[in-house]
Amino acid sequence: TLSVPKGKRKESQFEVIKHFYRFRKDITDLLLRDFGYSQKKAEKKMSKIFGGSPYEELSDNQKEHYNKTASRKFGFEEWFIGYQRDVIMDCIRNATEYIFIANSIYPSIPEELTERRIYQDKAIGQCYRLLQELQYTIEILPVDIQKYIKFTDSINKEINLLKGWRKADNKFKKQFKKDVK
């Protein structure tokens, strides 16, 4: 028998799971690092904004601006990062659940295929939700956007793998049609 060259092989549905584990681990690492937000960097940036002058030497207008900026930065640490961490973990937890439920269904009747597809669709939906939440986070937090490209690329790859798996399931439809004849 002839084998298909590795570069021309379709990804197996298990690649969906393998890739998901890798990107889940990477996202978890990002969350453990507070999305790349650094209080020290924020303080340095604030110092530059005010020309390195001590707070006491700032004008009343500058102090007011400094206080507003500082309270915003404090809000990042106080609640925003934790809140976004929970939202993103919720996306990942849901995607994990849907991927594994879909994978546990081996369709032997059309209804099982429909149920499996629903879970695949839900997993894709959670990946899109995850993309949106990361986008929102980088719009709010003063972080290096370039560092997020690998995460968005990874999530998009997972979405494409899930769609490929869903498309590969069309073989079951064909089989069910043969069985009816």
Side-chain angles (χ1 to χ4, degrees):
T1 62
L2 296 173
S3 65
V4 178
K6 190 173 183 180
K8 295 194 178 196
R9 291 181 204 162
K10 287 184 181 176
E11 305 248 24
S12 79
Q13 76 183 42
F14 295 105
E15 183 61 24
V16 169
I17 293 169
K18 277 176 38 185
H19 182 268
F20 183 77
Y21 275 135
R22 281 191 305 270
F23 107 75
R24 182 172 125 176
K25 184 177 171 262
D26 290 343
I27 297 277
T28 302
D29 182 56
L30 177 69
L31 300 180
L32 289 170
R33 293 182 291 109
D34 293 339
F35 298 97
Y37 174 74
S38 166
Q39 179 66 33
K40 287 181 182 178
K41 285 182 184 176
E43 287 170 5
K44 281 183 185 177
K45 202 178 250 185
M46 285 213 4
S47 179
K48 280 183 185 177
I49 291 171
F50 298 101
S53 300
Y55 181 79
E56 299 78 31
E57 294 177 12
L58 299 177
S59 70
D60 288 343
N61 282 346
Q62 287 176 320
K63 283 180 182 177
E64 186 180 334
H65 179 61
Y66 183 93
N67 290 338
K68 283 181 183 177
T69 305
S71 77
R72 185 168 185 242
K73 305 268 185 248
F74 181 69
F76 292 149
E77 290 184 344
E78 188 175 82
W79 71 271
F80 183 78
I81 291 172
Y83 175 78
Q84 277 306 99
R85 187 183 292 127
D86 291 346
V87 169
I88 287 173
M89 283 307 297
D90 185 56
C91 293
I92 291 173
R93 243 183 257 108
N94 289 341
T96 303
E97 177 183 351
Y98 300 144
I99 288 169
F100 281 90
I101 289 173
N103 193 47
S104 72
I105 300 169
Y106 188 81
S108 57
I109 57 174
E111 292 79 9
E112 289 172 336
L113 182 62
T114 300
E115 185 178 6
R116 178 163 150 145
R117 185 179 177 102
I118 288 168
Y119 283 108
Q120 290 166 332
D121 289 345
K122 286 182 174 190
I124 291 167
Q126 288 301 309
C127 288
Y128 278 118
R129 180 178 167 223
L130 181 58
L131 274 175
Q132 184 275 322
E133 289 298 338
L134 280 176
Q135 179 65 37
Y136 173 65
T137 303
I138 63 175
E139 286 176 11
I140 300 298
L141 285 177
V143 294
D144 182 0
I145 294 171
Q146 293 302 311
K147 292 182 180 174
Y148 280 78
I149 292 172
K150 75 174 187 172
F151 297 107
T152 57
D153 288 349
S154 189
I155 296 166
N156 281 319
K157 180 177 179 180
E158 184 66 21
I159 290 167
N160 289 332
L161 287 169
L162 285 162
K163 286 179 177 179
W165 176 26
R166 191 177 62 185
K167 187 176 180 181
D169 277 358
N170 287 335
K171 67 181 180 258
F172 289 110
K173 279 186 190 176
K174 291 175 185 165
Q175 185 60 46
F176 295 148
K177 285 179 183 175
K178 285 181 188 174
D179 292 346
V180 172
K181 290 181 182 179

